[in-house]
Amino acid sequence: MQKKVILVATIEKTEYRLENLTCASCAMKFEKNVQGLPAVQDAQVNFGASKLSLMGNVTVKDLEAAGAFDGIKVFPAAERREVEIIPFHKRKENIVTILSLLFLIPGAILSFTYSENYPAAIVFFVVSIAIGGAGIFKTGFKNLVRFEFDMKTLMTIAIIGAVIIGEWREGAVIVFLFAVSEALEAYSMNKARQSIRSLMDIAPPSAIVKRGKEFLELATEDIVKGDVLIVKPGQKIAMDGVVLTGMSTINQAAITGESVPVLKNTGDEVFAGTLNEEGLLEVTVTKLVGDTTIAKIIHLVEEAQAEKAPSQKFVDKFAKYYTPAIMILAVFVAIVPPLLGADWNTWIYQGLAVLVVGCPCALVVSTPVAIVTAIGNAARQGVLIKGGVHLEETGHLRAIAFDKTGTLTKGYPEVTDFIPVGNVDKKQLLESIAAVESLSQHPLAKAITTYAYRNDARKVEVTNFQSVTGKGAYAEVGGMTTYIGSVNWAAELSSLPEGVLQRATELQRSGKSVMAVVLGTDYSGLIAVADPVREESRSILKELKSIGIHHTVMLTGDHPETAQAIAADLGMTDVRGGLMPEDKLIAIKELGSKYGRVAMVGDGVNDAPALAAAQVGIAMGGAGTDAALETADIALMADDLEKLPYTIKLSRKTLRIIKENIMFALGLKVIALLLIIPGWLTLWIAIFADMGATLLVVLNSLRLLRVHK
C-alpha cells in the first residue's frame, strides 16, 4: 500500500520597517488592520523600533493601505536605505500645529476685543479647527462609526460638543493644544528611536574586497565568508572577521562601549562597525552581514523594546478600562445635574471637559518611552538589555552571584611571585626557567615564559628536555640541569632551606599554584602562578555595596580554600567553592529563596544553567560570543564589570521615572476631575492638564538619555 505524503508549507516571518508611525494607539490600530488582512496569519508592530513582523504573503501596497489612516510607509527590513532626517520646521505635525496657532491668535484677539461670538473671530476659529483637527476628525469619525473609542474619538466628541454649545474659542484651543501634544509624542519617540538608528548606521554599507588578484568594492550583502577585506587606517570594518595580516589599534566603542582602543594582531577577532585607527589590515570574513555582532545587537535591542515590561502591561490593562470609565463619567456629568434642575449648557460643557481631561495620552506613553530610551541608551554604552522585564528586575536586585574565573579574575594565569634564593643571579635563573618551560605543554608554562620575556630574559639554548608526569620538567641549560616542578619533587632533588615549605604553603592558601626551581642539586627559588583578580573587581564590589547590593556571592569550581582566600581579599559576603555547573544552579535557587531577586554574572557558557535560573542572568563579554548573547538577559559587551553598577543605576532610575510618569499622568487628571465638584473645570484647564501630563512624561523619560557610566 502506497503511503500518502502530506506536504505542509511553512510560512516564514517577514520583517518591515515603518515610517510616519506617530503614536502608540496608531501602532495598535495598524497592527489590528494588518492582522485583518486575508493572507496574514499573525502580525506584531514594535512601536519603539518602528518595525512590523508578520507571517503571511502580502504586498507592501497592501500594508501601506492598512496604514493609510496615519500615512504609514512600509519597506523591507533587509533593504538598506538612508532614513531622511526631517528638520523640526518641516515635520507635518509641527507645520499643522503652527498653522493652527496662526489662525487661533487673531481669532482670540478679536474675541477678547469684541465678543466670543464675533463673526470674524468665529471664521478664524473655524479655520484653526479645520487645519489642526483634520487628522483628528478623520480618525475620530471612523472610530465613532465602528464604536471604537480612543483618544481621537474622545477629542472629536469634545470639539463637536464645544462647537454645538458655541464655545468656538475653546474648541480651537483644544485642537491646537492636542496638536502640540501629538507633536511632542512624535518628537519623544523619534528621539528614543535614534538609539537604534545610530546602531544601524555604525557598520558601513560596502567594503573593498580582495578576491584573488582583484580588488572589488562590494555591498556588504554580497560579501561571503572567506572573503578578504582591505581595511585602511581611518576606515570602519564592514564585517566580523579575523585579522589575516597587519597590526593596528581598533576603536571598539560602538560595539563594546570601551573608550580605549584595542591592539589587534594576526589571528585576533574584529567586529563590524569598529574603527581601524592606524595600520592597514587584511581581514578574513567569518560571518554574513545578517549574522554579525552588530546585526545581532540591533535585532536583540529591537526585540527588547517590543517586549512589554510588567509596568507597561499594568498600564495597558488599566487603560483598557480607563477610557470607557471616563466616557461614562462624562455622560453622567453632562446629564445628571441638568436632570436635577441645573443648567444644561453649563454641565454639558463640564462633561466635554471631562472627556478632554480623561484622554489617556500621557498614560499610554508613560512606560514605553522610558523603556525604549533606557534600552537604547544602554546599548550605546555597551550593555545589551534583552527586554523591559529584565530592565525592571535589575532595578529590584538584592543579591548578585559571581562566577570567579573570567568574571572577578582575568581568566588566564600570570606569575604573581618570583622568589629566588639570595646568592643566585635572578635574570640568569629566569632565563633558565623560561628555556625549560618553552618546551613544556603544562597549562602554566605560557604564563612563566611570558613573565620571563617581559622582564627582558634572553632566549637561550636548551637540550635533553624531559617531562615528568605529576612532578614537573627538566632540561640541560648552559651545561646545567634545570628542574622546575612541585615543591615535593624539589624536596626529593635537593635539601630545602628552612622556611621554604612554610612560604610555599602560604602562597597556596592564597589561591596560587607554587613551583620550585632546582639548578643541578641546589634549590634556587620559588615561582607562584595564579589567575589574578581584575584590578577593578574590588572597587566595583565596593560600589555595588554603596548602591544597596549588600549580598555578593562567589560561586566557583576552585578549591574551597582558594575560593575563601580570593573572596576575603575582595570583601565578598559569601563564597561557595568546589562547585560543578549543576551545583551553581542549586546555589542560585537557594540564594533566590533567601534574598528574593538574585542576579548571576558569568561567562555565558559553563554558567548557562545558573544564568538561566537567576532572575537576571548577566553575561560577560557578549561581543562575538553567541552563547552569551543567547543565554543571558543582559550582556556586558566589553567583558567589563565596571558596566554592572551603571546597569543597576539605569534600571533603578528607569523604575523611578516610570512611577513618576504614572503619577504625573494620573495625578494631574485626578486634580482636574476634582474641579467638577465646585463646577470649576473648564476646557482650558482640561486640555492643559492633558497636555501638561504628556509634556511632563515625555521630558521626564528623556532624562534617561543623560545616564552614563
Side-chain angles (χ1 to χ4, degrees), residues 186-448:
Y187 168 78
S188 67
M189 288 313 299
N190 283 330
K191 193 84 175 167
R193 286 173 188 146
Q194 280 174 11
S195 59
I196 294 179
R197 287 201 199 111
S198 62
L199 287 174
M200 292 172 71
D201 293 337
I202 284 171
S206 63
I208 302 294
V209 176
K210 179 183 174 184
R211 285 182 178 172
K213 292 184 179 179
E214 280 190 291
F215 292 88
L216 309 167
E217 184 169 1
L218 299 176
T220 50
E221 290 81 3
D222 300 325
I223 296 172
V224 297
K225 290 181 186 178
D227 275 344
V228 176
L229 306 182
I230 305 299
V231 189
K232 297 175 184 177
Q235 285 186 335
K236 281 187 176 181
I237 298 168
M239 307 286 281
D240 282 13
V242 173
V243 177
L244 180 64
T245 61
M247 182 174 73
S248 181
T249 53
I250 304 292
N251 187 328
Q252 300 189 147
I255 303 293
T256 66
E258 291 172 287
S259 56
V260 180
V262 180
L263 181 66
K264 298 286 183 177
N265 216 323
T266 304
D268 289 337
E269 187 177 20
V270 292
F271 307 114
T274 56
L275 180 67
N276 178 23
E277 292 195 336
E278 293 174 348
L280 178 72
L281 294 178
E282 290 190 7
V283 176
T284 304
V285 175
T286 56
K287 292 179 183 177
L288 298 176
V289 67
D291 301 323
T292 61
T293 302
I294 188 64
K296 285 183 179 176
I297 292 171
I298 292 165
H299 175 73
L300 289 169
V301 169
E302 290 179 337
E303 291 296 307
Q305 291 182 333
E307 185 186 336
K308 290 184 178 178
S311 56
Q312 190 173 345
K313 288 177 182 175
F314 160 75
V315 167
D316 290 348
K317 192 173 181 181
F318 182 81
K320 187 178 176 183
Y321 301 102
Y322 170 83
T323 306
I326 285 293
M327 292 201 68
I328 292 165
L329 178 63
V331 171
F332 180 86
V333 168
I335 293 174
V336 172
L339 289 176
L340 297 174
D343 179 60
W344 277 96
N345 260 16
T346 302
W347 286 98
I348 287 173
Y349 179 88
Q350 292 275 299
L352 294 174
V354 170
L355 280 182
V356 173
V357 83
C359 269
C361 308
L363 190 63
V364 169
V365 299
S366 62
T367 306
V369 174
I371 295 287
V372 167
T373 305
I375 288 174
N377 181 13
R380 288 201 309 278
Q381 297 289 328
V383 179
L384 185 60
I385 303 172
K386 290 167 65 175
V389 62
H390 308 306
L391 183 69
E392 288 199 13
E393 285 288 348
T394 304
H396 293 301
L397 287 176
R398 294 185 57 214
I400 301 179
F402 295 86
D403 171 47
K404 180 186 79 71
T405 307
T407 302
L408 295 169
T409 63
K410 293 182 180 179
Y412 52 85
E414 284 183 354
V415 172
T416 56
D417 302 86
F418 178 42
I419 313 166
V421 294
N423 60 346
V424 172
D425 184 312
K426 185 175 180 179
K427 188 176 180 184
Q428 193 174 347
L429 178 62
L430 199 55
E431 287 172 353
S432 298
I433 294 168
V436 177
E437 292 291 13
S438 66
L439 299 176
S440 174
Q441 298 299 312
H442 194 276
L444 303 181
K446 187 180 178 183
I448 294 169

Side-chain angles (χ1 to χ4, degrees), residues 595-607:
Y595 298 117
R597 290 181 171 94
V598 177
M600 172 69 191
V601 185
D603 61 13
V605 184
N606 62 342
D607 296 314

Side-chain angles (χ1 to χ4, degrees), residues 483-487 489-490 496 500 514-518 523 525-527:
Y483 300 86
I484 179 165
S486 69
V487 177
W489 188 38
L496 302 182
V500 169
V514 181
M515 287 158 283
V517 184
V518 176
Y523 165 78
L526 292 176
I527 189 161

